[in-house]
mmCIF file with all atom_site columns, all heavy atoms in Angstrom:
data_model
loop_
_atom_site.group_PDB
_atom_site.id
_atom_site.type_symbol
_atom_site.label_atom_id
_atom_site.label_alt_id
_atom_site.label_comp_id
_atom_site.label_asym_id
_atom_site.label_entity_id
_atom_site.label_seq_id
_atom_site.pdbx_PDB_ins_code
_atom_site.Cartn_x
_atom_site.Cartn_y
_atom_site.Cartn_z
_atom_site.occupancy
_atom_site.B_iso_or_equiv
_atom_site.pdbx_formal_charge
_atom_site.auth_seq_id
_atom_site.auth_comp_id
_atom_site.auth_asym_id
_atom_site.auth_atom_id
_atom_site.pdbx_PDB_model_num
ATOM 1   N N   . GLU N 1 105 ? -3.066  -12.008 18.314  1.00 92.00 ? 1272 GLU N N   1
ATOM 2   C CA  . GLU N 1 105 ? -3.041  -13.255 19.101  1.00 92.00 ? 1272 GLU N CA  1
ATOM 3   C C   . GLU N 1 105 ? -2.485  -13.000 20.496  1.00 92.00 ? 1272 GLU N C   1
ATOM 4   O O   . GLU N 1 105 ? -2.448  -13.910 21.329  1.00 92.00 ? 1272 GLU N O   1
ATOM 5   C CB  . GLU N 1 105 ? -2.234  -14.321 18.362  1.00 92.00 ? 1272 GLU N CB  1
ATOM 6   C CG  . GLU N 1 105 ? -2.952  -14.810 17.097  1.00 92.00 ? 1272 GLU N CG  1
ATOM 7   C CD  . GLU N 1 105 ? -2.220  -15.941 16.418  1.00 92.00 ? 1272 GLU N CD  1
ATOM 8   O OE1 . GLU N 1 105 ? -1.575  -16.748 17.118  1.00 92.00 ? 1272 GLU N OE1 1
ATOM 9   O OE2 . GLU N 1 105 ? -2.282  -15.993 15.177  1.00 92.00 ? 1272 GLU N OE2 1
ATOM 10  N N   . LEU N 1 106 ? -2.054  -11.756 20.731  1.00 91.00 ? 1273 LEU N N   1
ATOM 11  C CA  . LEU N 1 106 ? -1.604  -11.384 22.083  1.00 91.00 ? 1273 LEU N CA  1
ATOM 12  C C   . LEU N 1 106 ? -2.730  -10.680 22.825  1.00 91.00 ? 1273 LEU N C   1
ATOM 13  O O   . LEU N 1 106 ? -2.575  -10.240 23.958  1.00 91.00 ? 1273 LEU N O   1
ATOM 14  C CB  . LEU N 1 106 ? -0.377  -10.459 21.996  1.00 91.00 ? 1273 LEU N CB  1
ATOM 15  C CG  . LEU N 1 106 ? 0.847   -11.039 21.286  1.00 91.00 ? 1273 LEU N CG  1
ATOM 16  C CD1 . LEU N 1 106 ? 1.937   -9.977  21.164  1.00 91.00 ? 1273 LEU N CD1 1
ATOM 17  C CD2 . LEU N 1 106 ? 1.378   -12.263 22.021  1.00 91.00 ? 1273 LEU N CD2 1
ATOM 18  N N   . GLY N 1 107 ? -3.865  -10.515 22.116  1.00 91.00 ? 1274 GLY N N   1
ATOM 19  C CA  . GLY N 1 107 ? -5.042  -9.969  22.778  1.00 91.00 ? 1274 GLY N CA  1
ATOM 20  C C   . GLY N 1 107 ? -5.320  -8.512  22.522  1.00 91.00 ? 1274 GLY N C   1
ATOM 21  O O   . GLY N 1 107 ? -6.204  -7.920  23.146  1.00 91.00 ? 1274 GLY N O   1
ATOM 22  N N   . PHE N 1 108 ? -4.592  -7.897  21.577  1.00 91.00 ? 1275 PHE N N   1
ATOM 23  C CA  . PHE N 1 108 ? -4.923  -6.482  21.350  1.00 91.00 ? 1275 PHE N CA  1
ATOM 24  C C   . PHE N 1 108 ? -4.541  -6.050  19.938  1.00 91.00 ? 1275 PHE N C   1
ATOM 25  O O   . PHE N 1 108 ? -3.807  -6.761  19.242  1.00 91.00 ? 1275 PHE N O   1
ATOM 26  C CB  . PHE N 1 108 ? -4.225  -5.586  22.376  1.00 91.00 ? 1275 PHE N CB  1
ATOM 27  C CG  . PHE N 1 108 ? -2.755  -5.860  22.531  1.00 91.00 ? 1275 PHE N CG  1
ATOM 28  C CD1 . PHE N 1 108 ? -1.825  -5.233  21.710  1.00 91.00 ? 1275 PHE N CD1 1
ATOM 29  C CD2 . PHE N 1 108 ? -2.296  -6.778  23.485  1.00 91.00 ? 1275 PHE N CD2 1
ATOM 30  C CE1 . PHE N 1 108 ? -0.468  -5.499  21.841  1.00 91.00 ? 1275 PHE N CE1 1
ATOM 31  C CE2 . PHE N 1 108 ? -0.943  -7.039  23.621  1.00 91.00 ? 1275 PHE N CE2 1
ATOM 32  C CZ  . PHE N 1 108 ? -0.017  -6.400  22.807  1.00 91.00 ? 1275 PHE N CZ  1
ATOM 33  N N   . GLY N 1 109 ? -5.077  -4.923  19.556  1.00 89.00 ? 1276 GLY N N   1
ATOM 34  C CA  . GLY N 1 109 ? -4.704  -4.277  18.297  1.00 89.00 ? 1276 GLY N CA  1
ATOM 35  C C   . GLY N 1 109 ? -5.318  -4.934  17.073  1.00 89.00 ? 1276 GLY N C   1
ATOM 36  O O   . GLY N 1 109 ? -6.223  -5.754  17.168  1.00 89.00 ? 1276 GLY N O   1
ATOM 37  N N   . THR N 1 110 ? -4.791  -4.553  15.943  1.00 95.00 ? 1277 THR N N   1
ATOM 38  C CA  . THR N 1 110 ? -5.237  -5.094  14.671  1.00 95.00 ? 1277 THR N CA  1
ATOM 39  C C   . THR N 1 110 ? -4.020  -5.239  13.776  1.00 95.00 ? 1277 THR N C   1
ATOM 40  O O   . THR N 1 110 ? -3.023  -4.535  13.978  1.00 95.00 ? 1277 THR N O   1
ATOM 41  C CB  . THR N 1 110 ? -6.291  -4.181  13.992  1.00 95.00 ? 1277 THR N CB  1
ATOM 42  O OG1 . THR N 1 110 ? -6.753  -4.826  12.802  1.00 95.00 ? 1277 THR N OG1 1
ATOM 43  C CG2 . THR N 1 110 ? -5.692  -2.835  13.579  1.00 95.00 ? 1277 THR N CG2 1
ATOM 44  N N   . VAL N 1 111 ? -4.088  -6.147  12.819  1.00 97.00 ? 1278 VAL N N   1
ATOM 45  C CA  . VAL N 1 111 ? -2.940  -6.296  11.913  1.00 97.00 ? 1278 VAL N CA  1
ATOM 46  C C   . VAL N 1 111 ? -3.362  -6.245  10.446  1.00 97.00 ? 1278 VAL N C   1
ATOM 47  O O   . VAL N 1 111 ? -2.511  -6.265  9.567   1.00 97.00 ? 1278 VAL N O   1
ATOM 48  C CB  . VAL N 1 111 ? -2.150  -7.607  12.169  1.00 97.00 ? 1278 VAL N CB  1
ATOM 49  C CG1 . VAL N 1 111 ? -1.463  -7.586  13.518  1.00 97.00 ? 1278 VAL N CG1 1
ATOM 50  C CG2 . VAL N 1 111 ? -3.051  -8.824  12.021  1.00 97.00 ? 1278 VAL N CG2 1
ATOM 51  N N   . THR N 1 112 ? -4.676  -6.162  10.206  1.00 98.00 ? 1279 THR N N   1
ATOM 52  C CA  . THR N 1 112 ? -5.127  -6.179  8.810   1.00 98.00 ? 1279 THR N CA  1
ATOM 53  C C   . THR N 1 112 ? -6.208  -5.146  8.551   1.00 98.00 ? 1279 THR N C   1
ATOM 54  O O   . THR N 1 112 ? -7.125  -4.988  9.363   1.00 98.00 ? 1279 THR N O   1
ATOM 55  C CB  . THR N 1 112 ? -5.673  -7.575  8.438   1.00 98.00 ? 1279 THR N CB  1
ATOM 56  O OG1 . THR N 1 112 ? -4.588  -8.513  8.438   1.00 98.00 ? 1279 THR N OG1 1
ATOM 57  C CG2 . THR N 1 112 ? -6.291  -7.588  7.058   1.00 98.00 ? 1279 THR N CG2 1
ATOM 58  N N   . HIS N 1 113 ? -6.064  -4.462  7.433   1.00 98.00 ? 1280 HIS N N   1
ATOM 59  C CA  . HIS N 1 113 ? -7.141  -3.582  6.927   1.00 98.00 ? 1280 HIS N CA  1
ATOM 60  C C   . HIS N 1 113 ? -7.505  -4.070  5.525   1.00 98.00 ? 1280 HIS N C   1
ATOM 61  O O   . HIS N 1 113 ? -6.617  -4.491  4.764   1.00 98.00 ? 1280 HIS N O   1
ATOM 62  C CB  . HIS N 1 113 ? -6.680  -2.123  6.878   1.00 98.00 ? 1280 HIS N CB  1
ATOM 63  C CG  . HIS N 1 113 ? -6.522  -1.521  8.246   1.00 98.00 ? 1280 HIS N CG  1
ATOM 64  N ND1 . HIS N 1 113 ? -7.587  -1.125  9.009   1.00 98.00 ? 1280 HIS N ND1 1
ATOM 65  C CD2 . HIS N 1 113 ? -5.412  -1.282  8.982   1.00 98.00 ? 1280 HIS N CD2 1
ATOM 66  C CE1 . HIS N 1 113 ? -7.142  -0.652  10.164  1.00 98.00 ? 1280 HIS N CE1 1
ATOM 67  N NE2 . HIS N 1 113 ? -5.825  -0.736  10.187  1.00 98.00 ? 1280 HIS N NE2 1
ATOM 68  N N   . ARG N 1 114 ? -8.800  -4.012  5.221   1.00 98.00 ? 1281 ARG N N   1
ATOM 69  C CA  . ARG N 1 114 ? -9.258  -4.508  3.928   1.00 98.00 ? 1281 ARG N CA  1
ATOM 70  C C   . ARG N 1 114 ? -9.835  -3.369  3.092   1.00 98.00 ? 1281 ARG N C   1
ATOM 71  O O   . ARG N 1 114 ? -10.818 -2.736  3.488   1.00 98.00 ? 1281 ARG N O   1
ATOM 72  C CB  . ARG N 1 114 ? -10.328 -5.610  4.124   1.00 98.00 ? 1281 ARG N CB  1
ATOM 73  C CG  . ARG N 1 114 ? -9.765  -6.817  4.830   1.00 98.00 ? 1281 ARG N CG  1
ATOM 74  C CD  . ARG N 1 114 ? -10.699 -8.011  4.839   1.00 98.00 ? 1281 ARG N CD  1
ATOM 75  N NE  . ARG N 1 114 ? -10.155 -9.068  5.703   1.00 98.00 ? 1281 ARG N NE  1
ATOM 76  C CZ  . ARG N 1 114 ? -9.140  -9.853  5.370   1.00 98.00 ? 1281 ARG N CZ  1
ATOM 77  N NH1 . ARG N 1 114 ? -8.576  -9.692  4.173   1.00 98.00 ? 1281 ARG N NH1 1
ATOM 78  N NH2 . ARG N 1 114 ? -8.666  -10.772 6.209   1.00 98.00 ? 1281 ARG N NH2 1
ATOM 79  N N   . PRO N 1 115 ? -9.219  -3.083  1.952   1.00 98.00 ? 1282 PRO N N   1
ATOM 80  C CA  . PRO N 1 115 ? -9.767  -2.068  1.042   1.00 98.00 ? 1282 PRO N CA  1
ATOM 81  C C   . PRO N 1 115 ? -11.117 -2.503  0.484   1.00 98.00 ? 1282 PRO N C   1
ATOM 82  O O   . PRO N 1 115 ? -11.441 -3.697  0.500   1.00 98.00 ? 1282 PRO N O   1
ATOM 83  C CB  . PRO N 1 115 ? -8.707  -1.982  -0.065  1.00 98.00 ? 1282 PRO N CB  1
ATOM 84  C CG  . PRO N 1 115 ? -7.449  -2.497  0.570   1.00 98.00 ? 1282 PRO N CG  1
ATOM 85  C CD  . PRO N 1 115 ? -7.905  -3.564  1.530   1.00 98.00 ? 1282 PRO N CD  1
ATOM 86  N N   . PRO N 1 116 ? -11.905 -1.548  -0.017  1.00 97.00 ? 1283 PRO N N   1
ATOM 87  C CA  . PRO N 1 116 ? -13.213 -1.906  -0.593  1.00 97.00 ? 1283 PRO N CA  1
ATOM 88  C C   . PRO N 1 116 ? -13.045 -2.877  -1.765  1.00 97.00 ? 1283 PRO N C   1
ATOM 89  O O   . PRO N 1 116 ? -12.287 -2.592  -2.707  1.00 97.00 ? 1283 PRO N O   1
ATOM 90  C CB  . PRO N 1 116 ? -13.769 -0.566  -1.059  1.00 97.00 ? 1283 PRO N CB  1
ATOM 91  C CG  . PRO N 1 116 ? -13.024 0.465   -0.264  1.00 97.00 ? 1283 PRO N CG  1
ATOM 92  C CD  . PRO N 1 116 ? -11.661 -0.106  -0.022  1.00 97.00 ? 1283 PRO N CD  1
ATOM 93  N N   . GLU N 1 117 ? -13.744 -4.004  -1.713  1.00 96.00 ? 1284 GLU N N   1
ATOM 94  C CA  . GLU N 1 117 ? -13.555 -5.062  -2.721  1.00 96.00 ? 1284 GLU N CA  1
ATOM 95  C C   . GLU N 1 117 ? -13.826 -4.557  -4.136  1.00 96.00 ? 1284 GLU N C   1
ATOM 96  O O   . GLU N 1 117 ? -13.071 -4.848  -5.072  1.00 96.00 ? 1284 GLU N O   1
ATOM 97  C CB  . GLU N 1 117 ? -14.491 -6.232  -2.411  1.00 96.00 ? 1284 GLU N CB  1
ATOM 98  C CG  . GLU N 1 117 ? -14.100 -7.032  -1.179  1.00 96.00 ? 1284 GLU N CG  1
ATOM 99  C CD  . GLU N 1 117 ? -15.141 -8.109  -0.867  1.00 96.00 ? 1284 GLU N CD  1
ATOM 100 O OE1 . GLU N 1 117 ? -15.940 -8.436  -1.763  1.00 96.00 ? 1284 GLU N OE1 1
ATOM 101 O OE2 . GLU N 1 117 ? -15.134 -8.598  0.279   1.00 96.00 ? 1284 GLU N OE2 1
ATOM 102 N N   . ALA N 1 118 ? -14.920 -3.792  -4.298  1.00 95.00 ? 1285 ALA N N   1
ATOM 103 C CA  . ALA N 1 118 ? -15.299 -3.340  -5.647  1.00 95.00 ? 1285 ALA N CA  1
ATOM 104 C C   . ALA N 1 118 ? -14.214 -2.420  -6.218  1.00 95.00 ? 1285 ALA N C   1
ATOM 105 O O   . ALA N 1 118 ? -13.873 -2.491  -7.403  1.00 95.00 ? 1285 ALA N O   1
ATOM 106 C CB  . ALA N 1 118 ? -16.637 -2.614  -5.603  1.00 95.00 ? 1285 ALA N CB  1
ATOM 107 N N   . LEU N 1 119 ? -13.640 -1.593  -5.353  1.00 97.00 ? 1286 LEU N N   1
ATOM 108 C CA  . LEU N 1 119 ? -12.596 -0.667  -5.805  1.00 97.00 ? 1286 LEU N CA  1
ATOM 109 C C   . LEU N 1 119 ? -11.341 -1.439  -6.189  1.00 97.00 ? 1286 LEU N C   1
ATOM 110 O O   . LEU N 1 119 ? -10.713 -1.156  -7.219  1.00 97.00 ? 1286 LEU N O   1
ATOM 111 C CB  . LEU N 1 119 ? -12.294 0.345   -4.704  1.00 97.00 ? 1286 LEU N CB  1
ATOM 112 C CG  . LEU N 1 119 ? -11.290 1.452   -5.028  1.00 97.00 ? 1286 LEU N CG  1
ATOM 113 C CD1 . LEU N 1 119 ? -11.741 2.238   -6.259  1.00 97.00 ? 1286 LEU N CD1 1
ATOM 114 C CD2 . LEU N 1 119 ? -11.106 2.388   -3.833  1.00 97.00 ? 1286 LEU N CD2 1
ATOM 115 N N   . VAL N 1 120 ? -10.990 -2.445  -5.398  1.00 98.00 ? 1287 VAL N N   1
ATOM 116 C CA  . VAL N 1 120 ? -9.818  -3.278  -5.716  1.00 98.00 ? 1287 VAL N CA  1
ATOM 117 C C   . VAL N 1 120 ? -10.009 -3.951  -7.070  1.00 98.00 ? 1287 VAL N C   1
ATOM 118 O O   . VAL N 1 120 ? -9.112  -3.965  -7.919  1.00 98.00 ? 1287 VAL N O   1
ATOM 119 C CB  . VAL N 1 120 ? -9.584  -4.322  -4.604  1.00 98.00 ? 1287 VAL N CB  1
ATOM 120 C CG1 . VAL N 1 120 ? -8.527  -5.342  -5.014  1.00 98.00 ? 1287 VAL N CG1 1
ATOM 121 C CG2 . VAL N 1 120 ? -9.186  -3.643  -3.290  1.00 98.00 ? 1287 VAL N CG2 1
ATOM 122 N N   . ARG N 1 121 ? -11.208 -4.476  -7.308  1.00 97.00 ? 1288 ARG N N   1
ATOM 123 C CA  . ARG N 1 121 ? -11.487 -5.133  -8.594  1.00 97.00 ? 1288 ARG N CA  1
ATOM 124 C C   . ARG N 1 121 ? -11.345 -4.147  -9.746  1.00 97.00 ? 1288 ARG N C   1
ATOM 125 O O   . ARG N 1 121 ? -10.740 -4.445  -10.776 1.00 97.00 ? 1288 ARG N O   1
ATOM 126 C CB  . ARG N 1 121 ? -12.901 -5.720  -8.589  1.00 97.00 ? 1288 ARG N CB  1
ATOM 127 C CG  . ARG N 1 121 ? -13.047 -7.063  -7.906  1.00 97.00 ? 1288 ARG N CG  1
ATOM 128 C CD  . ARG N 1 121 ? -14.343 -7.757  -8.323  1.00 97.00 ? 1288 ARG N CD  1
ATOM 129 N NE  . ARG N 1 121 ? -15.514 -6.939  -8.022  1.00 97.00 ? 1288 ARG N NE  1
ATOM 130 C CZ  . ARG N 1 121 ? -16.134 -6.961  -6.834  1.00 97.00 ? 1288 ARG N CZ  1
ATOM 131 N NH1 . ARG N 1 121 ? -15.656 -7.723  -5.855  1.00 97.00 ? 1288 ARG N NH1 1
ATOM 132 N NH2 . ARG N 1 121 ? -17.200 -6.211  -6.596  1.00 97.00 ? 1288 ARG N NH2 1
ATOM 133 N N   . GLU N 1 122 ? -11.901 -2.930  -9.563  1.00 97.00 ? 1289 GLU N N   1
ATOM 134 C CA  . GLU N 1 122 ? -11.826 -1.933  -10.645 1.00 97.00 ? 1289 GLU N CA  1
ATOM 135 C C   . GLU N 1 122 ? -10.380 -1.539  -10.923 1.00 97.00 ? 1289 GLU N C   1
ATOM 136 O O   . GLU N 1 122 ? -9.959  -1.447  -12.080 1.00 97.00 ? 1289 GLU N O   1
ATOM 137 C CB  . GLU N 1 122 ? -12.610 -0.673  -10.235 1.00 97.00 ? 1289 GLU N CB  1
ATOM 138 C CG  . GLU N 1 122 ? -14.095 -0.745  -10.473 1.00 97.00 ? 1289 GLU N CG  1
ATOM 139 C CD  . GLU N 1 122 ? -14.721 0.633   -10.323 1.00 97.00 ? 1289 GLU N CD  1
ATOM 140 O OE1 . GLU N 1 122 ? -14.474 1.497   -11.189 1.00 97.00 ? 1289 GLU N OE1 1
ATOM 141 O OE2 . GLU N 1 122 ? -15.406 0.833   -9.306  1.00 97.00 ? 1289 GLU N OE2 1
ATOM 142 N N   . VAL N 1 123 ? -9.608  -1.330  -9.852  1.00 98.00 ? 1290 VAL N N   1
ATOM 143 C CA  . VAL N 1 123 ? -8.204  -0.931  -10.028 1.00 98.00 ? 1290 VAL N CA  1
ATOM 144 C C   . VAL N 1 123 ? -7.429  -2.055  -10.714 1.00 98.00 ? 1290 VAL N C   1
ATOM 145 O O   . VAL N 1 123 ? -6.641  -1.822  -11.639 1.00 98.00 ? 1290 VAL N O   1
ATOM 146 C CB  . VAL N 1 123 ? -7.567  -0.567  -8.677  1.00 98.00 ? 1290 VAL N CB  1
ATOM 147 C CG1 . VAL N 1 123 ? -6.056  -0.412  -8.798  1.00 98.00 ? 1290 VAL N CG1 1
ATOM 148 C CG2 . VAL N 1 123 ? -8.198  0.711   -8.124  1.00 98.00 ? 1290 VAL N CG2 1
ATOM 149 N N   . ALA N 1 124 ? -7.691  -3.287  -10.308 1.00 98.00 ? 1291 ALA N N   1
ATOM 150 C CA  . ALA N 1 124 ? -7.006  -4.434  -10.940 1.00 98.00 ? 1291 ALA N CA  1
ATOM 151 C C   . ALA N 1 124 ? -7.346  -4.507  -12.422 1.00 98.00 ? 1291 ALA N C   1
ATOM 152 O O   . ALA N 1 124 ? -6.479  -4.719  -13.275 1.00 98.00 ? 1291 ALA N O   1
ATOM 153 C CB  . ALA N 1 124 ? -7.399  -5.725  -10.229 1.00 98.00 ? 1291 ALA N CB  1
#
Side-chain angles (χ1 to χ4, degrees):
E1272 291 185 32
L1273 300 175
F1275 49 87
T1277 184
V1278 293
T1279 292
H1280 289 284
R1281 296 190 188 285
E1284 289 175 18
L1286 184 57
V1287 171
R1288 279 198 302 273
E1289 277 192 70
V1290 169

